Amino acid sequence: MAPFLESHDALEDLEELKRRMKRDGYLFFRGLLDSEALLGVRRDILEIGYQHGWVAEGTDLMEGIAAGPPRVEGRDEEYWPVYDAIQRLESFHTLAHAQPLVDVVSKLVDEPVLVHPRNIARIIFPENVLYTTPAHQDYVHIQGTEEVYTAWIPLSDCPQKLGGLAVLSGSHRFGVLPTRSAYGAGGLGVDTDPLSLTWIAGDFHLGDCLFFHSLTVHKALENRTPDRLRLSVDYRYQGQSQPLTKGSLLPHFNRMPWSEIYKAWKSRRYQYYWTSLDLKIVPWTPQHHQAQKKREQ
Ligand SMILES: O=C(O)CCC(=O)C(=O)O
Ligand SMILES: [Fe+2]
């Protein structure tokens, strides 16, 4: 794997940022975000994990030392109470609106940015490599417009052995690729061999952020640590004039209404903020998921 191209030098150069995104399908920034807010979200998530026995007793909470068997999104019933509690966190949703994140996307789209409220958090257990996020494109899940950008942000330093994210540079230029079912987040994978492109990865430090286009193929690296949880968040952004599907305005997994999520929030600033915008809602198509099922029959 080759290292990420760092784009801090181009942060003030709109044309260069756009050029790099267009060429590579990703932008990587070191130290884009303030560690305080990231560590606040980390603490909130680990406190929930601790209450549910996912974090080892008698250890420093912020180290994120795993306890018990791996719990996997979409596979284990035990995942839900923890994930529901994370979805109720004001800190987790507020971080998606951090100015440096919105600023990068606004430079790419040249218009006011819509922050999708469907924010996602990941808790990846160690040594559970079968469920490592497979190579996939976000577009098949999100749809609306291809011009959606994901920001992937680890909530700690994230060396490759903790299971960071890798992108297949240039893969966004191949359109929507055929899917197949796969283990790991999203449940759909793509075959990347025919593309003959290079995987790009690196060691993340707290504050680093990876942006990628909705057609850019990406995957997680295996969490090869003996005992650490990998915590990260992924947020999505697009231009406000671009179409989107209803699902992007619902909570991730849509297990409860926003009113439930907002119950303990202190501020209303980031509640229902999209409802005052004139958004163009378009249908979501199950076609990518169905085509995959047919191919496998
Ligand atoms: O963190 C992961 O394992 C998956 C992240 C991902 O697929 C995304 O951010 O779109
Ligand atoms: Fe993804």
Side-chain angles (χ1 to χ4, degrees):
M1 288 205 198
F4 290 120
L5 171 68
E6 298 183 17
S7 279
H8 219 90
D9 59 311
L11 206 46
E12 302 309 325
D13 184 346
L14 266 73
E15 290 315 312
E16 180 59 15
L17 278 187
K18 281 191 209 163
R19 201 156 37 235
R20 290 185 191 181
M21 181 58 94
K22 213 169 167 186
R23 181 187 64 200
D24 304 333
Y26 79 90
L27 290 171
F28 178 75
F29 298 99
R30 292 223 178 267
L32 187 72
L33 294 162
D34 202 55
S35 33
E36 206 176 317
L38 297 169
L39 291 176
V41 178
R42 178 176 178 82
R43 179 175 297 281
D44 289 346
I45 292 177
L46 285 171
E47 269 165 8
I48 294 165
Y50 183 76
Q51 285 156 16
H52 289 79
W54 292 23
V55 178
E57 302 247 2
T59 59
D60 177 355
L61 179 73
M62 291 298 268
E63 293 290 315
I65 310 286
R71 284 76 153 189
V72 175
E73 171 192 310
R75 184 192 72 174
D76 299 314
E77 274 307 303
E78 257 191 276
Y79 202 86
W80 295 121
V82 171
Y83 197 63
D84 290 348
I86 293 171
Q87 279 293 331
R88 289 191 191 92
L89 289 174
E90 182 172 10
S91 61
F92 158 64
H93 290 283
T94 299
L95 183 60
H97 299 266
Q99 204 58 50
L101 297 173
V102 176
D103 282 350
V104 166
V105 182
S106 72
K107 287 173 185 169
L108 295 174
V109 299
D110 271 333
E111 63 161 318
V113 171
L114 171 70
V115 181
H116 287 196
R118 182 173 53 191
N119 298 318
I120 303 181
R122 318 270 177 184
I123 302 182
I124 307 290
F125 277 73
E127 303 276 5
N128 186 34
V129 297
L130 181 62
Y131 284 88
T132 302
T133 305
H136 69 279
Q137 297 172 306
D138 281 358
Y139 178 77
V140 298
H141 302 291
I142 303 168
Q143 302 180 27
T145 172
E146 292 174 357
E147 296 309 309
V148 173
Y149 296 94
T150 295
W152 188 88
I153 305 158
L155 298 175
S156 67
D157 288 344
C158 187
Q160 293 183 55
K161 70 166 194 265
L162 182 57
L165 212 72
V167 292
L168 196 60
S169 184
S171 53
H172 61 302
R173 291 193 240 118
F174 291 78
V176 182
L177 299 165
T179 52
R180 55 179 164 74
S181 33
Y183 287 110
L188 287 183
V190 296
D191 181 9
T192 56
D193 293 344
L195 304 180
S196 299
L197 295 169
T198 308
W199 282 102
I200 310 281
D203 295 330
F204 285 74
H205 302 295
L206 185 69
D208 295 352
C209 177
L210 175 68
F211 290 89
F212 50 91
H213 186 268
S214 79
L215 291 176
T216 305
V217 177
H218 56 285
K219 67 177 180 183
L221 303 177
E222 294 167 353
N223 180 350
R224 289 283 180 191
T225 64
D227 59 1
R228 302 282 156 137
L229 297 166
R230 186 260 275 172
L231 266 55
S232 60
V233 292
D234 36 281
Y235 301 140
R236 289 173 184 75
Y237 307 85
Q238 66 175 84
Q240 286 184 7
S241 73
Q242 295 298 304
L244 75 161
T245 63
K246 267 195 294 207
S248 294
L249 301 174
L250 293 171
H252 185 218
F253 289 122
N254 196 22
R255 289 172 48 82
M256 59 197 145
W258 289 115
S259 56
E260 173 70 30
I261 286 180
Y262 295 153
K263 260 187 184 145
W265 287 29
K266 295 202 174 75
S267 165
R268 294 168 76 154
R269 180 159 178 208
Y270 296 123
Q271 298 183 13
Y272 305 110
Y273 58 91
W274 63 93
T275 54
S276 58
L277 305 174
D278 186 20
L279 298 175
K280 182 167 183 234
I281 305 287
V282 295
W284 188 90
T285 161
Q287 127 198 358
H288 307 289
H289 299 69
Q290 282 165 352
Q292 158 263 318
K293 280 213 186 84
K294 258 203 201 113
R295 272 192 294 276
E296 282 165 17
Q297 264 166 18

